Amino acid sequence: QENVEIVRRLYETMNARDVAGAAELIHRDAEWIPDSRVGEGPVRGRENIIRFFTDRAEVFGQLDAEAERFWDKDDKVLVFVRVTGRGQASGAEFEIRIGHLWTVRDGIVVRGRGYGDRSEALEAAGVSE
């Protein structure tokens, strides 16, 4: 449950655009692997991971990631995330439902991976609904 709270705080800090708060929760050598549909390879290093997410948030006039459900297994935390936003230029609203699988060691996030398909995320985490 401690790992879930760490990941929950990570979403809270990122939604608040609290870069310093997020930095406290991510290891300096952490790795983020975006969903393959994003078209980018792995992102390494705390500052680069934070930049990855803040850059995406800046593209939109409004962007929020709501952690809907958590699973805690060993050092992994799977999160079903509902992302909503509004295009900065178009004003068009959108909603996507994705999965993030985080690895937490010694109270800090060391790795994350995004999944555009929640069933893939469940399989990768080794959990079921």
Side-chain angles (χ1 to χ4, degrees), residues 21-84:
E24 291 177 4
L25 301 168
I26 302 171
H27 190 275
R28 72 175 184 279
D29 297 323
E31 177 181 55
W32 167 253
I33 301 170
D35 177 65
S36 60
R37 290 162 269 230
V38 172
E40 292 190 37
V43 178
R44 292 182 177 85
R46 171 179 39 223
E47 289 78 19
N48 293 329
I49 292 168
I50 292 170
R51 188 176 310 114
F52 175 90
F53 286 104
T54 55
D55 285 354
R56 271 132 196 88
E58 288 176 7
V59 170
F60 301 96
Q62 174 189 351
L63 183 72
D64 291 299
E66 175 191 350
E68 295 183 305
R69 186 165 174 197
F70 295 86
W71 287 263
D72 188 9
K73 183 176 180 185
D74 303 323
D75 65 348
K76 306 269 190 297
V77 177
L78 173 63
V79 186
F80 276 2
V81 184
R82 177 178 168 258
V83 181
T84 57

Side-chain angles (χ1 to χ4, degrees), residues 109-125:
V109 171
V110 297
R111 186 171 195 267
R113 182 165 186 166
Y115 293 88
D117 182 318
R118 286 181 166 186
S119 61
E120 287 178 31
L122 286 165
E123 186 177 330

